[in-house]
Amino acid sequence: MGNADNVYPDKNVERAHRVAIPPPQPFLKSFTASMKETFFPDDPLRQFKNQPPSRKLILGLQYVLPILEWAPRYSLQFLKADLIAGITIASLAIPQGISYAKLANLPPILGLCESPEKLLTASMLGNVVNANENPTLYLHLAFTATFVAGVLQASLGILRLGFIVDFLSHATIVGFMAGAATVVCLQQLKGILGLEHFTHGTDLISVMRSVITQTHKWRWESALLGCCFLFYLLLARYFSKKRSNLFWISAMAPLTSVFFGSLLVYLTHAENHGVQVIGQLKKGINPLSITHLAFGSPYISTAIKTGIVTGVIALAEGIAVGRSFAMFKNYHIDGNKEMIAIGMMNIAGSCTSCYLTTGPFSRSAVNFNAGCKTAMSNVVMAIAVMITLLFLTPLFHYTPLVVLSSIIIAAMLGLIDYEAAIHLWHVDKFDFMVCMGAYVGVVFGSVEIGLVVAVGLSLLRVLLFVARPRTMVLGNIPDSVIYRSVDQYPNANNVPGFLILEMNAPIYFANSSYLRERISRWIDEEEDRLKSSGETSLQYVVLDMGAVGNIDTSGISMFEELKKSTERRGLKLVLANPGGEVMKKLNKSKFIDSLGQEWIYLTVGEAVGACNFMLHTSKPKPVAADSESGSDNV
């Protein structure tokens, strides 16, 4: 059994330490501390402590407006880097924006204002309002959904409820984005094949049925042009990935595709031979749309639902992107501030003819690789987009829609992270199931179905973790007082007369009955094993509670029942390493008085050593009887 008895080298010492019970705290103070940790784990006010009023005012303004923090340190070198980065991302944002507006069934010119969560907006609103038959109502509902999303996002940040987004796990996002990208790529077959009529459904079966039943309407000219530009875009991305200093090739590829595509159509008059073009685009800044928010529409419920779903997804994506690049740059971002910023941006956008946006990974990556230093690069991009709106929109007249479809497909293929799915399969099969559930739900059902399936599976896993926590048998590592799982450490020895169990979760009403039954089964199995092998009979059941962070009244009742059950079997229940919150509740419930504080120890090693000492002194055994097993050393 190793050297567990070394905990008590002096046999005259009954025990080394007693487990302390935390001093009682007023309920209001305890509740306030718990709420503060839940909603303010980052303690955003810590920087204001011990500061004079003037400094607090400056810090407060910098907290709300980060530009006030970095603007005083801005330099000419920063401006040069931000100027290059801003122009680079503008070259990507302009053609992508027009493409995404087309994807969301909105006027192409709106795409120059923002980049939306395109698929969600198109699919959810498109189920109730046809964008071609009633474009005005569809547009107003899109603005309303954007407003709802912005209010939701800002509210989550203000109320410090950002942890809700954490329920969208990494596996959920991987599967959801891959499914959405697959559906988007399939829908672009309309543009690639030059079809004028297409299904409004987003599922795979509807899309393929629409494509196959219109084979006689396929336009080979459009298909050839689309395949050529798609090959060019993918080739540009390939070279950019091979060498990071060539990032600009991929960044400029959409704009060059638009340029050469428009030039080719203009010179060959391809618009007269089945190649569809954007056509006339109105110049000028888009008008205010605050009066177009359709709160009185009979479809307001759909707009609200669309705003909530798209807002949460956009928020999860934006924060994930921000955290990714914060890791690269070694700085910290405040998730709640990000939510407020994204939300206020969408509220303002909904009132100025824009629709849902977030921080897309593609543009963030281009901005990062282009060497941006501050947010000024986004200002440069905005100025470039504004110049395009005011003066350059006629240049997009001959832009073929098939080129926009190619740009969308190339962008969407980057969202199908098959390597992440393979990694999930190797690491965690359940996470892989969540990922595939989201993917299959989106591809064969709808965006809503995929999201519900993925979140449902994720919540099911959380419930399984809570309701069925793991318990494991511990053994003594030879020549130490360390106790570890006998499954993980095959060399760990069972201690004669002891069953040592570790519980790895808080004990609540959801798992207390299971834990009581599981511990009883462990005891039955151990007694059967000892009887069959003829070893020393079981005398102590030691529960390692180091991982039990909290307990409720159902858990306390479980311990009371377990104590009675072990006593009926002639066994003694021993607790090791209980946390402060657990000790406080066990003490208030009088369970400690019932069990006896002498049966609660700081560590498993101390518990085994003390019990062995009491066993040795109360029931001495002849040395010869146990000399072979080495138990005479205890």
Side-chain angles (χ1 to χ4, degrees):
M1 69 174 255
N3 295 331
D5 53 316
N6 290 340
V7 175
Y8 293 92
D10 184 355
K11 299 298 184 181
N12 296 319
V13 179
E14 182 178 350
R15 65 184 298 169
H17 305 284
R18 290 189 179 274
V19 178
I21 300 173
Q25 287 186 343
F27 171 76
L28 183 60
K29 182 178 179 180
S30 177
F31 179 79
T32 302
S34 177
M35 291 298 99
K36 182 179 179 181
E37 186 62 27
T38 299
F39 296 104
F40 298 91
D42 51 349
D43 192 11
L45 301 179
R46 64 184 182 277
Q47 59 179 329
F48 297 93
K49 296 177 181 177
N50 303 322
Q51 297 288 346
S54 59
R55 181 59 180 167
K56 288 182 179 179
L57 176 62
I58 295 175
L59 291 174
L61 292 174
Q62 290 178 346
Y63 183 82
V64 178
L65 301 172
I67 188 174
L68 298 179
E69 182 178 357
W70 54 263
R73 304 191 303 270
Y74 203 72
S75 64
L76 185 62
Q77 289 77 11
F78 283 4
L79 178 60
K80 179 181 177 181
D82 288 338
L83 188 63
I84 295 174
I87 294 174
T88 302
I89 58 175
S91 67
L92 173 66
I94 292 171
Q96 268 194 355
I98 295 175
S99 303
Y100 290 160
K102 169 182 173 290
L103 178 59
N105 294 324
L106 292 168
I109 195 65
L110 293 185
L112 292 179
C113 298
E114 300 292 346
S115 169
E117 290 301 300
K118 47 277 173 187
L119 175 67
L120 296 175
T121 301
S123 64
M124 297 184 72
L125 293 181
N127 288 334
V128 296
V129 178
N130 190 307
N132 296 322
E133 298 174 359
N134 200 340
T136 301
L137 176 59
Y138 185 91
L139 184 62
H140 293 176
L141 290 177
F143 293 152
T144 307
T146 301
F147 180 84
V148 172
V151 171
L152 172 68
Q153 293 166 337
S155 300
L156 289 176
I158 294 172
L159 299 176
R160 313 290 296 182
L161 297 175
F163 61 85
I164 294 176
V165 180
D166 293 337
F167 282 99
L168 293 175
S169 65
H170 171 68
T172 300
I173 295 297
V174 169
F176 180 83
M177 297 302 290
T182 301
V183 171
V184 169
C185 291
L186 291 172
Q187 288 180 331
Q188 296 316 300
L189 292 176
K190 174 185 177 182
I192 295 292
L193 299 175
L195 300 175
E196 296 183 1
H197 303 285
F198 207 67
T199 178
H200 298 298
T202 60
D203 60 286
L204 175 64
I205 296 176
S206 298
V207 172
M208 295 309 299
R209 183 187 295 117
S210 182
V211 170
I212 295 174
T213 56
Q214 299 186 79
T215 53
H216 59 287
K217 296 182 180 180
W218 292 6
R219 295 281 188 172
W220 68 266
E221 302 93 338
S222 180
L224 178 62
L225 191 63
C227 291
C228 290
F229 278 105
L230 179 59
F231 176 76
Y232 164 67
L233 291 164
L234 295 178
L235 189 64
R237 176 183 295 175
Y238 173 79
F239 281 112
S240 296
K241 285 186 176 180
K242 282 294 183 181
R243 299 186 63 179
S244 58
N245 61 331
L246 297 179
F247 71 92
W248 56 271
I249 295 179
S250 179
M252 297 293 291
L255 187 61
T256 55
S257 296
V258 169
F259 174 77
F260 286 114
S262 302
L263 182 63
L264 181 63
V265 169
Y266 177 77
L267 295 177
T268 62
H269 300 286
E271 72 275 16
N272 298 326
H273 301 282
V275 178
Q276 303 173 21
V277 297
I278 289 179
Q280 185 65 35
L281 292 179
K282 182 180 66 174
K283 290 197 299 183
I285 303 296
N286 290 328
L288 293 177
S289 58
I290 188 171
T291 58
H292 296 156
L293 299 180
F295 290 110
S297 170
Y299 303 106
I300 183 61
S301 60
T302 300
I304 293 176
K305 182 176 70 172
T306 302
I308 292 174
V309 173
T310 56
V312 171
I313 292 294
L315 206 56
E317 179 186 359
I319 292 178
V321 170
R323 288 174 177 172
S324 299
F325 287 97
M327 181 180 64
F328 292 142
K329 289 280 190 174
N330 194 28
Y331 63 87
H332 172 73
I333 66 169
D334 187 331
N336 289 290
K337 286 174 63 177
E338 292 286 310
M339 294 177 189
I340 295 173
I342 295 174
M344 296 304 295
M345 174 178 62
N346 283 318
I347 292 174
S350 68
C351 300
T352 53
S353 296
C354 300
Y355 48 101
L356 186 64
T357 186
T358 184
F361 188 86
S362 58
R363 296 185 195 176
S364 300
V366 170
N367 200 20
F368 175 81
N369 290 326
C372 75
K373 299 299 182 182
T374 67
M376 185 60 70
S377 62
N378 292 322
V379 177
V380 174
M381 181 196 71
I383 293 174
V385 171
M386 183 179 68
I387 293 174
T388 301
L389 283 168
L390 291 174
F391 306 108
L392 304 180
T393 52
L395 298 179
F396 294 96
H397 181 280
Y398 289 99
T399 300
L401 295 182
V402 67
V403 171
L404 301 184
S405 295
S406 300
I407 292 173
I408 292 173
I409 292 175
M412 293 300 105
L413 289 177
L415 297 179
I416 302 177
D417 195 350
Y418 65 91
E419 293 180 348
I422 295 174
H423 179 71
L424 291 174
W425 169 258
H426 289 304
V427 175
D428 192 319
K429 299 297 190 295
F430 197 98
D431 264 356
F432 178 78
M433 290 175 57
V434 172
C435 175
M436 294 308 298
Y439 181 84
V440 173
V442 172
V443 173
F444 290 93
S446 65
V447 172
E448 298 96 319
I449 292 176
L451 191 60
V452 168
V453 170
V455 174
L457 287 174
S458 297
L459 291 178
L460 175 62
R461 185 173 197 184
V462 172
L463 292 175
L464 287 176
F465 280 151
V466 173
R468 295 294 183 267
R470 289 196 62 190
T471 58
M472 58 190 70
V473 177
L474 304 184
N476 177 238
I477 302 296
D479 301 320
S480 74
V481 291
I482 299 173
Y483 291 79
R484 292 294 182 266
S485 168
V486 294
D487 292 330
Q488 183 179 359
Y489 296 89
N491 64 326
N493 299 321
N494 290 320
V495 183
F498 287 82
L499 174 61
I500 307 172
L501 301 175
E502 181 182 55
M503 295 180 291
N504 288 322
I507 304 175
Y508 296 124
F509 65 93
N511 59 26
S512 58
S513 296
Y514 166 77
L515 285 174
R516 182 184 64 251
E517 295 170 1
R518 188 68 186 95
I519 293 172
S520 297
R521 279 191 286 132
W522 278 122
I523 295 174
D524 292 338
E525 293 169 5
E526 181 68 9
E527 288 184 334
D528 291 342
R529 185 186 70 82
L530 293 176
K531 287 180 181 179
S532 62
S533 62
E535 299 180 27
T536 303
S537 62
L538 185 62
Q539 294 176 313
Y540 296 99
V541 177
V542 181
L543 301 182
D544 183 0
M545 301 178 62
V548 181
N550 211 329
I551 190 172
D552 68 357
T553 54
S554 297
I556 296 173
S557 297
M558 182 273 288
F559 274 114
E560 292 172 348
E561 294 174 12
L562 184 62
K563 174 180 175 294
K564 295 177 182 177
S565 174
T566 52
E567 287 177 349
R568 284 195 296 267
R569 294 170 180 255
L571 306 176
K572 191 63 185 177
L573 180 65
V574 183
L575 305 184
N577 195 23
E581 192 67 22
V582 174
M583 282 294 293
K584 183 165 56 176
K585 292 185 179 180
L586 293 180
N587 181 56
K588 288 182 177 180
S589 67
K590 306 300 182 182
F591 177 76
I592 292 180
D593 296 337
S594 172
L595 178 68
Q597 192 166 359
E598 66 273 13
W599 298 105
I600 303 177
Y601 296 88
L602 285 175
T603 66
V604 173
E606 185 174 300
V608 172
C611 292
N612 266 320
F613 171 66
M614 288 184 283
L615 181 64
H616 177 79
T617 55
S618 60
K619 296 180 180 181
K621 297 180 181 180
V623 174
D626 297 320
S627 59
E628 293 184 3
S629 63
S631 60
D632 55 302
N633 293 327
V634 180

